[in-house]
mmCIF file of all heavy atoms in Angstrom:
data_model
loop_
_atom_site.group_PDB
_atom_site.id
_atom_site.type_symbol
_atom_site.label_atom_id
_atom_site.label_comp_id
_atom_site.label_asym_id
_atom_site.label_seq_id
_atom_site.Cartn_x
_atom_site.Cartn_y
_atom_site.Cartn_z
ATOM 1 N N TRP R 1064 28.090 2.838 22.130
ATOM 2 C CA TRP R 1064 29.340 2.229 22.609
ATOM 3 C C TRP R 1064 29.027 1.046 23.519
ATOM 4 O O TRP R 1064 29.629 -0.021 23.400
ATOM 5 C CB TRP R 1064 30.171 3.263 23.339
ATOM 6 C CG TRP R 1064 31.484 2.763 23.839
ATOM 7 C CD1 TRP R 1064 31.824 2.477 25.120
ATOM 8 C CD2 TRP R 1064 32.661 2.482 23.061
ATOM 9 N NE1 TRP R 1064 33.121 2.036 25.206
ATOM 10 C CE2 TRP R 1064 33.660 2.033 23.954
ATOM 11 C CE3 TRP R 1064 32.953 2.569 21.695
ATOM 12 C CZ2 TRP R 1064 34.938 1.679 23.518
ATOM 13 C CZ3 TRP R 1064 34.230 2.206 21.272
ATOM 14 C CH2 TRP R 1064 35.201 1.768 22.177
ATOM 15 N N GLN R 1065 28.066 1.230 24.420
ATOM 16 C CA GLN R 1065 27.694 0.140 25.304
ATOM 17 C C GLN R 1065 27.122 -1.034 24.525
ATOM 18 O O GLN R 1065 27.423 -2.195 24.800
ATOM 19 C CB GLN R 1065 26.667 0.634 26.334
ATOM 20 C CG GLN R 1065 26.427 -0.365 27.475
ATOM 21 C CD GLN R 1065 24.985 -0.832 27.582
ATOM 22 O OE1 GLN R 1065 24.115 -0.458 26.807
ATOM 23 N NE2 GLN R 1065 24.736 -1.692 28.563
ATOM 24 N N MET R 1066 26.308 -0.734 23.505
ATOM 25 C CA MET R 1066 25.743 -1.791 22.660
ATOM 26 C C MET R 1066 26.856 -2.547 21.934
ATOM 27 O O MET R 1066 26.809 -3.776 21.801
ATOM 28 C CB MET R 1066 24.765 -1.186 21.654
ATOM 29 C CG MET R 1066 23.489 -0.653 22.295
ATOM 30 S SD MET R 1066 22.494 0.405 21.187
ATOM 31 C CE MET R 1066 21.892 -0.818 20.017
ATOM 32 N N SER R 1067 27.884 -1.813 21.492
ATOM 33 C CA SER R 1067 29.013 -2.443 20.794
ATOM 34 C C SER R 1067 29.789 -3.354 21.733
ATOM 35 O O SER R 1067 30.188 -4.459 21.349
ATOM 36 C CB SER R 1067 29.947 -1.366 20.225
ATOM 37 O OG SER R 1067 29.272 -0.554 19.292
ATOM 38 N N LEU R 1068 29.996 -2.895 22.971
ATOM 39 C CA LEU R 1068 30.720 -3.708 23.941
ATOM 40 C C LEU R 1068 29.943 -4.978 24.279
ATOM 41 O O LEU R 1068 30.535 -6.058 24.413
ATOM 42 C CB LEU R 1068 30.977 -2.901 25.218
ATOM 43 C CG LEU R 1068 31.970 -1.750 25.113
ATOM 44 C CD1 LEU R 1068 32.091 -1.038 26.455
ATOM 45 C CD2 LEU R 1068 33.341 -2.237 24.654
ATOM 46 N N LEU R 1069 28.627 -4.850 24.404
ATOM 47 C CA LEU R 1069 27.801 -6.031 24.678
ATOM 48 C C LEU R 1069 27.907 -7.047 23.547
ATOM 49 O O LEU R 1069 28.007 -8.255 23.779
ATOM 50 C CB LEU R 1069 26.340 -5.621 24.869
ATOM 51 C CG LEU R 1069 25.969 -4.936 26.181
ATOM 52 C CD1 LEU R 1069 24.523 -4.463 26.137
ATOM 53 C CD2 LEU R 1069 26.176 -5.881 27.360
ATOM 54 N N LYS R 1070 27.887 -6.541 22.310
ATOM 55 C CA LYS R 1070 27.975 -7.441 21.160
ATOM 56 C C LYS R 1070 29.338 -8.119 21.113
ATOM 57 O O LYS R 1070 29.452 -9.311 20.799
ATOM 58 C CB LYS R 1070 27.732 -6.659 19.871
ATOM 59 C CG LYS R 1070 27.413 -7.537 18.676
ATOM 60 C CD LYS R 1070 26.889 -6.706 17.517
ATOM 61 C CE LYS R 1070 26.433 -7.597 16.371
ATOM 62 N NZ LYS R 1070 25.877 -6.819 15.244
ATOM 63 N N MET R 1071 30.383 -7.369 21.434
ATOM 64 C CA MET R 1071 31.716 -7.960 21.467
ATOM 65 C C MET R 1071 31.826 -9.017 22.562
ATOM 66 O O MET R 1071 32.405 -10.085 22.366
ATOM 67 C CB MET R 1071 32.765 -6.870 21.696
ATOM 68 C CG MET R 1071 32.991 -5.982 20.519
ATOM 69 S SD MET R 1071 33.583 -6.959 19.105
ATOM 70 C CE MET R 1071 33.166 -5.858 17.782
ATOM 71 N N ASP R 1072 31.264 -8.699 23.739
ATOM 72 C CA ASP R 1072 31.280 -9.675 24.829
ATOM 73 C C ASP R 1072 30.539 -10.950 24.426
ATOM 74 O O ASP R 1072 30.958 -12.059 24.759
ATOM 75 C CB ASP R 1072 30.632 -9.088 26.087
ATOM 76 C CG ASP R 1072 31.488 -8.028 26.751
ATOM 77 O OD1 ASP R 1072 32.693 -7.964 26.440
ATOM 78 O OD2 ASP R 1072 30.956 -7.268 27.573
ATOM 79 N N LEU R 1073 29.442 -10.776 23.686
ATOM 80 C CA LEU R 1073 28.667 -11.921 23.226
ATOM 81 C C LEU R 1073 29.486 -12.796 22.283
ATOM 82 O O LEU R 1073 29.481 -14.025 22.375
ATOM 83 C CB LEU R 1073 27.394 -11.427 22.535
ATOM 84 C CG LEU R 1073 26.388 -12.478 22.057
ATOM 85 C CD1 LEU R 1073 25.860 -13.292 23.233
ATOM 86 C CD2 LEU R 1073 25.235 -11.817 21.316
ATOM 87 N N SER R 1074 30.228 -12.154 21.370
ATOM 88 C CA SER R 1074 31.034 -12.921 20.421
ATOM 89 C C SER R 1074 32.196 -13.623 21.122
ATOM 90 O O SER R 1074 32.649 -14.678 20.686
ATOM 91 C CB SER R 1074 31.562 -12.001 19.304
ATOM 92 O OG SER R 1074 32.558 -11.127 19.780
ATOM 93 N N GLN R 1075 32.691 -13.020 22.224
ATOM 94 C CA GLN R 1075 33.760 -13.662 22.997
ATOM 95 C C GLN R 1075 33.220 -14.878 23.755
ATOM 96 O O GLN R 1075 33.861 -15.922 23.811
ATOM 97 C CB GLN R 1075 34.327 -12.653 23.998
ATOM 98 C CG GLN R 1075 35.018 -11.449 23.388
ATOM 99 C CD GLN R 1075 36.503 -11.667 23.205
ATOM 100 O OE1 GLN R 1075 37.156 -12.307 24.022
ATOM 101 N NE2 GLN R 1075 37.057 -11.123 22.141
ATOM 102 N N LYS R 1076 32.032 -14.710 24.332
ATOM 103 C CA LYS R 1076 31.456 -15.769 25.165
ATOM 104 C C LYS R 1076 30.905 -16.908 24.330
ATOM 105 O O LYS R 1076 30.964 -18.079 24.719
ATOM 106 C CB LYS R 1076 30.353 -15.163 26.043
ATOM 107 C CG LYS R 1076 29.828 -16.097 27.111
ATOM 108 C CD LYS R 1076 28.835 -15.356 28.006
ATOM 109 C CE LYS R 1076 28.287 -16.278 29.092
ATOM 110 N NZ LYS R 1076 27.297 -15.564 29.950
ATOM 111 N N TYR R 1077 30.338 -16.566 23.149
ATOM 112 C CA TYR R 1077 29.729 -17.569 22.272
ATOM 113 C C TYR R 1077 30.302 -17.421 20.864
ATOM 114 O O TYR R 1077 29.632 -16.891 19.972
ATOM 115 C CB TYR R 1077 28.208 -17.396 22.245
ATOM 116 C CG TYR R 1077 27.548 -17.556 23.592
ATOM 117 C CD1 TYR R 1077 27.244 -16.453 24.383
ATOM 118 C CD2 TYR R 1077 27.227 -18.824 24.088
ATOM 119 C CE1 TYR R 1077 26.628 -16.599 25.622
ATOM 120 C CE2 TYR R 1077 26.620 -18.981 25.328
ATOM 121 C CZ TYR R 1077 26.333 -17.859 26.089
ATOM 122 O OH TYR R 1077 25.731 -18.015 27.315
ATOM 123 N N PRO R 1078 31.533 -17.867 20.648
ATOM 124 C CA PRO R 1078 32.204 -17.635 19.361
ATOM 125 C C PRO R 1078 31.543 -18.293 18.160
ATOM 126 O O PRO R 1078 31.758 -17.857 17.032
ATOM 127 C CB PRO R 1078 33.614 -18.204 19.599
ATOM 128 C CG PRO R 1078 33.468 -19.164 20.733
ATOM 129 C CD PRO R 1078 32.396 -18.578 21.598
ATOM 130 N N LEU R 1079 30.731 -19.329 18.372
ATOM 131 C CA LEU R 1079 30.076 -20.016 17.254
ATOM 132 C C LEU R 1079 28.728 -19.405 16.892
ATOM 133 O O LEU R 1079 28.188 -19.677 15.817
ATOM 134 C CB LEU R 1079 29.872 -21.496 17.599
ATOM 135 C CG LEU R 1079 31.137 -22.315 17.874
ATOM 136 C CD1 LEU R 1079 30.751 -23.697 18.397
ATOM 137 C CD2 LEU R 1079 31.980 -22.442 16.618
ATOM 138 N N LEU R 1080 28.210 -18.581 17.769
ATOM 139 C CA LEU R 1080 26.837 -18.118 17.629
ATOM 140 C C LEU R 1080 26.610 -17.262 16.391
ATOM 141 O O LEU R 1080 25.631 -17.440 15.676
ATOM 142 C CB LEU R 1080 26.427 -17.347 18.893
ATOM 143 C CG LEU R 1080 24.994 -16.844 18.950
ATOM 144 C CD1 LEU R 1080 24.428 -17.026 20.357
ATOM 145 C CD2 LEU R 1080 24.925 -15.355 18.589
ATOM 146 N N PHE R 1081 27.523 -16.321 16.103
ATOM 147 C CA PHE R 1081 27.270 -15.386 15.023
ATOM 148 C C PHE R 1081 27.363 -16.047 13.646
ATOM 149 O O PHE R 1081 26.620 -15.690 12.733
ATOM 150 C CB PHE R 1081 28.218 -14.187 15.114
ATOM 151 C CG PHE R 1081 27.821 -13.219 16.199
ATOM 152 C CD1 PHE R 1081 28.490 -13.202 17.405
ATOM 153 C CD2 PHE R 1081 26.769 -12.346 16.010
ATOM 154 C CE1 PHE R 1081 28.121 -12.326 18.400
ATOM 155 C CE2 PHE R 1081 26.391 -11.457 16.997
ATOM 156 C CZ PHE R 1081 27.068 -11.451 18.208
ATOM 157 N N ASP R 1082 28.261 -16.997 13.496
ATOM 158 C CA ASP R 1082 28.327 -17.723 12.220
ATOM 159 C C ASP R 1082 27.033 -18.491 11.983
ATOM 160 O O ASP R 1082 26.499 -18.510 10.876
ATOM 161 C CB ASP R 1082 29.510 -18.701 12.218
ATOM 162 C CG ASP R 1082 30.826 -18.006 11.896
ATOM 163 O OD1 ASP R 1082 30.788 -16.899 11.336
ATOM 164 O OD2 ASP R 1082 31.882 -18.576 12.204
ATOM 165 N N PHE R 1083 26.534 -19.138 13.046
ATOM 166 C CA PHE R 1083 25.284 -19.882 12.904
ATOM 167 C C PHE R 1083 24.116 -18.946 12.616
ATOM 168 O O PHE R 1083 23.298 -19.212 11.730
ATOM 169 C CB PHE R 1083 24.992 -20.694 14.173
ATOM 170 C CG PHE R 1083 23.609 -21.274 14.176
ATOM 171 C CD1 PHE R 1083 23.294 -22.361 13.370
ATOM 172 C CD2 PHE R 1083 22.600 -20.705 14.949
ATOM 173 C CE1 PHE R 1083 22.002 -22.878 13.338
ATOM 174 C CE2 PHE R 1083 21.309 -21.219 14.926
ATOM 175 C CZ PHE R 1083 21.011 -22.302 14.118
ATOM 176 N N ALA R 1084 24.024 -17.849 13.370
ATOM 177 C CA ALA R 1084 22.915 -16.908 13.191
ATOM 178 C C ALA R 1084 22.924 -16.322 11.785
ATOM 179 O O ALA R 1084 21.870 -16.179 11.155
ATOM 180 C CB ALA R 1084 22.997 -15.794 14.232
ATOM 181 N N ALA R 1085 24.117 -15.991 11.280
ATOM 182 C CA ALA R 1085 24.220 -15.429 9.928
ATOM 183 C C ALA R 1085 23.759 -16.452 8.889
ATOM 184 O O ALA R 1085 23.025 -16.123 7.952
ATOM 185 C CB ALA R 1085 25.653 -14.993 9.642
ATOM 186 N N ALA R 1086 24.176 -17.715 9.072
ATOM 187 C CA ALA R 1086 23.786 -18.769 8.128
ATOM 188 C C ALA R 1086 22.277 -19.002 8.180
ATOM 189 O O ALA R 1086 21.623 -19.161 7.145
ATOM 190 C CB ALA R 1086 24.533 -20.061 8.449
ATOM 191 N N ALA R 1087 21.711 -19.007 9.384
ATOM 192 C CA ALA R 1087 20.272 -19.222 9.533
ATOM 193 C C ALA R 1087 19.488 -18.087 8.901
ATOM 194 O O ALA R 1087 18.461 -18.303 8.250
ATOM 195 C CB ALA R 1087 19.915 -19.347 11.017
ATOM 196 N N TYR R 1088 19.966 -16.871 9.079
ATOM 197 C CA TYR R 1088 19.274 -15.695 8.545
ATOM 198 C C TYR R 1088 19.325 -15.658 7.018
ATOM 199 O O TYR R 1088 18.327 -15.381 6.356
ATOM 200 C CB TYR R 1088 19.906 -14.428 9.125
ATOM 201 C CG TYR R 1088 19.096 -13.181 8.890
ATOM 202 C CD1 TYR R 1088 18.081 -12.817 9.766
ATOM 203 C CD2 TYR R 1088 19.357 -12.354 7.803
ATOM 204 C CE1 TYR R 1088 17.328 -11.670 9.555
ATOM 205 C CE2 TYR R 1088 18.609 -11.205 7.589
ATOM 206 C CZ TYR R 1088 17.601 -10.865 8.475
ATOM 207 O OH TYR R 1088 16.860 -9.731 8.254
ATOM 208 N N MET R 1089 20.486 -15.966 6.464
ATOM 209 C CA MET R 1089 20.664 -15.861 5.015
ATOM 210 C C MET R 1089 20.034 -17.024 4.258
ATOM 211 O O MET R 1089 19.718 -16.904 3.084
ATOM 212 C CB MET R 1089 22.157 -15.760 4.674
ATOM 213 C CG MET R 1089 22.789 -14.436 5.101
ATOM 214 S SD MET R 1089 24.498 -14.236 4.552
ATOM 215 C CE MET R 1089 25.332 -15.495 5.523
ATOM 216 N N ASN R 1090 19.868 -18.164 4.948
ATOM 217 C CA ASN R 1090 19.333 -19.346 4.275
ATOM 218 C C ASN R 1090 17.966 -19.745 4.818
ATOM 219 O O ASN R 1090 17.643 -20.920 4.931
ATOM 220 C CB ASN R 1090 20.309 -20.520 4.427
ATOM 221 C CG ASN R 1090 21.664 -20.213 3.828
ATOM 222 O OD1 ASN R 1090 21.772 -19.947 2.642
ATOM 223 N ND2 ASN R 1090 22.696 -20.231 4.656
ATOM 224 N N GLU R 1091 17.163 -18.736 5.135
ATOM 225 C CA GLU R 1091 15.864 -18.976 5.759
ATOM 226 C C GLU R 1091 14.998 -19.941 4.962
ATOM 227 O O GLU R 1091 14.339 -20.820 5.518
ATOM 228 C CB GLU R 1091 15.131 -17.634 5.924
ATOM 229 C CG GLU R 1091 13.718 -17.735 6.484
ATOM 230 C CD GLU R 1091 13.672 -17.895 7.993
ATOM 231 O OE1 GLU R 1091 14.750 -17.873 8.623
ATOM 232 O OE2 GLU R 1091 12.577 -18.062 8.528
ATOM 233 N N GLN R 1092 14.982 -19.799 3.649
ATOM 234 C CA GLN R 1092 14.088 -20.618 2.817
ATOM 235 C C GLN R 1092 14.469 -22.095 2.832
ATOM 236 O O GLN R 1092 13.623 -22.957 2.582
ATOM 237 C CB GLN R 1092 14.104 -20.098 1.366
ATOM 238 C CG GLN R 1092 13.625 -18.651 1.220
ATOM 239 C CD GLN R 1092 12.243 -18.432 1.820
ATOM 240 O OE1 GLN R 1092 11.346 -19.246 1.626
ATOM 241 N NE2 GLN R 1092 12.073 -17.355 2.571
ATOM 242 N N GLU R 1093 15.734 -22.388 3.120
ATOM 243 C CA GLU R 1093 16.188 -23.780 3.119
ATOM 244 C C GLU R 1093 16.001 -24.450 4.472
ATOM 245 O O GLU R 1093 16.156 -25.659 4.594
ATOM 246 C CB GLU R 1093 17.676 -23.840 2.745
ATOM 247 C CG GLU R 1093 17.993 -23.290 1.361
ATOM 248 C CD GLU R 1093 19.487 -23.358 1.067
ATOM 249 O OE1 GLU R 1093 20.222 -23.933 1.889
ATOM 250 O OE2 GLU R 1093 19.903 -22.839 0.025
ATOM 251 N N ASN R 1094 15.662 -23.662 5.479
ATOM 252 C CA ASN R 1094 15.637 -24.182 6.832
ATOM 253 C C ASN R 1094 14.237 -24.614 7.262
ATOM 254 O O ASN R 1094 13.242 -24.011 6.852
ATOM 255 C CB ASN R 1094 16.139 -23.112 7.809
ATOM 256 C CG ASN R 1094 17.550 -22.669 7.475
ATOM 257 O OD1 ASN R 1094 18.322 -23.437 6.919
ATOM 258 N ND2 ASN R 1094 17.886 -21.439 7.818
#
Side-chain angles (χ1 to χ4, degrees):
W1064 182 254
Q1065 191 240 1
M1066 291 167 70
S1067 299
L1068 291 179
L1069 285 174
K1070 196 168 186 178
M1071 288 299 159
D1072 288 343
L1073 184 61
S1074 71
Q1075 295 268 324
K1076 189 175 180 181
Y1077 299 96
L1079 299 172
L1080 183 140
F1081 284 102
D1082 279 341
F1083 170 74
Y1088 193 86
M1089 290 186 293
N1090 300 300
E1091 176 80 3
Q1092 299 305 316
E1093 299 179 6
N1094 301 332

